[in-house]
């Protein structure tokens, strides 16, 4: 069976869980993966304003498709450690890395597979911060 969910509903599942999670401090939050979709955890670490790392390890109950509309999206570097997912532009398998983003992402479907546990590390960088790193104004 495939679970199809909108981006807004997907984010709402996490918002609910984050509100009830304990934080180590205001920069480091670990929370359970939504039980409606699977089991596991996510850890979100803010290294500085505009730069965060998200570490996820989870197993889906079923294949999941998240329908995403046009949206703000920072630059992102994704490291797929195990499992698979794909979207309109790429297929990620264990051991692969992608660098994507421009500040805006166009509508697409993001598909995650349930046959294997998914472990990923994603770094999100706000476009303005990139300019600071590379000496731009």
């Amino acid at each position: 069976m495939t679970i199809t969910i909108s981006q807004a509903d997907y984010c709402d599942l996490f918002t609910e869980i984050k509100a009830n999670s304990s934080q180590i401090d205001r920069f480091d939050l670990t929370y359970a993966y939504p039980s409606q979709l699977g089991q596991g955890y996510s850890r979100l670490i803010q290294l500085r304003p505009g730069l965060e790392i998200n570490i996820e390890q989870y197993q889906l109950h079923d294949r999941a498709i998240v329908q995403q509309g046009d949206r703000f999206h920072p630059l992102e570097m994704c490291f797929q450690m195990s499992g698979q997912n794909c979207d309109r532009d790429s297929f990620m398998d264990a051991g692969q890395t992608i660098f994507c983003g421009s500040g805006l992402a166009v509508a697409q479907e993001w598909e995650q597979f349930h046959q294997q546990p998914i472990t990923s590390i994603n770094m999100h960088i706000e476009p303005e911060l990139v300019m600071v790193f590379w000496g731009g104004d």
Side-chain angles (χ1 to χ4, degrees):
M1 184 173 124
T2 299
I3 298 169
T4 302
I5 187 170
S6 71
Q7 177 74 28
D9 290 341
Y10 183 78
C11 289
D12 286 347
L13 291 173
F14 285 93
T15 300
E16 232 173 78
I17 290 170
K18 286 179 187 178
N20 298 318
S21 296
S22 59
Q23 281 186 261
I24 294 172
D25 57 41
R26 65 186 182 113
F27 303 109
D28 192 343
L29 173 66
T30 301
Y31 51 92
Y33 196 80
S35 61
Q36 299 92 321
L37 300 175
Q39 63 183 30
Y41 74 91
S42 289
R43 181 175 181 192
L44 185 61
I45 304 166
Q46 183 181 5
L47 300 174
R48 64 177 282 176
L51 177 61
E52 65 183 28
I53 293 177
N54 190 21
I55 303 166
E56 297 183 305
Q57 188 170 35
Y58 59 93
Q59 174 87 45
L60 296 171
H61 300 308
D62 295 296
R63 182 173 141 235
I65 297 175
V66 180
Q67 298 173 324
Q68 303 171 316
D70 292 342
R71 66 207 177 279
F72 168 79
H73 194 281
L75 297 170
E76 182 174 20
M77 184 169 254
C78 305
F79 302 89
Q80 190 78 19
M81 310 308 287
S82 68
Q84 301 173 326
N85 69 68
C86 67
D87 60 27
R88 186 192 65 216
D89 299 320
S90 63
F91 177 88
M92 295 254 332
D93 203 353
Q96 293 185 311
T97 302
I98 62 168
F99 185 68
C100 60
S102 64
L104 179 67
V106 296
Q108 66 180 356
E109 288 187 343
W110 174 44
E111 185 173 0
Q112 301 175 79
F113 302 99
H114 68 286
Q115 289 87 349
Q116 302 172 30
I118 295 172
T119 303
S120 64
I121 301 170
N122 301 305
M123 182 181 300
H124 298 107
I125 309 165
E126 297 298 332
E128 301 80 24
L129 189 57
V130 172
M131 297 308 292
V132 171
F133 286 153
W134 278 281
D137 294 326

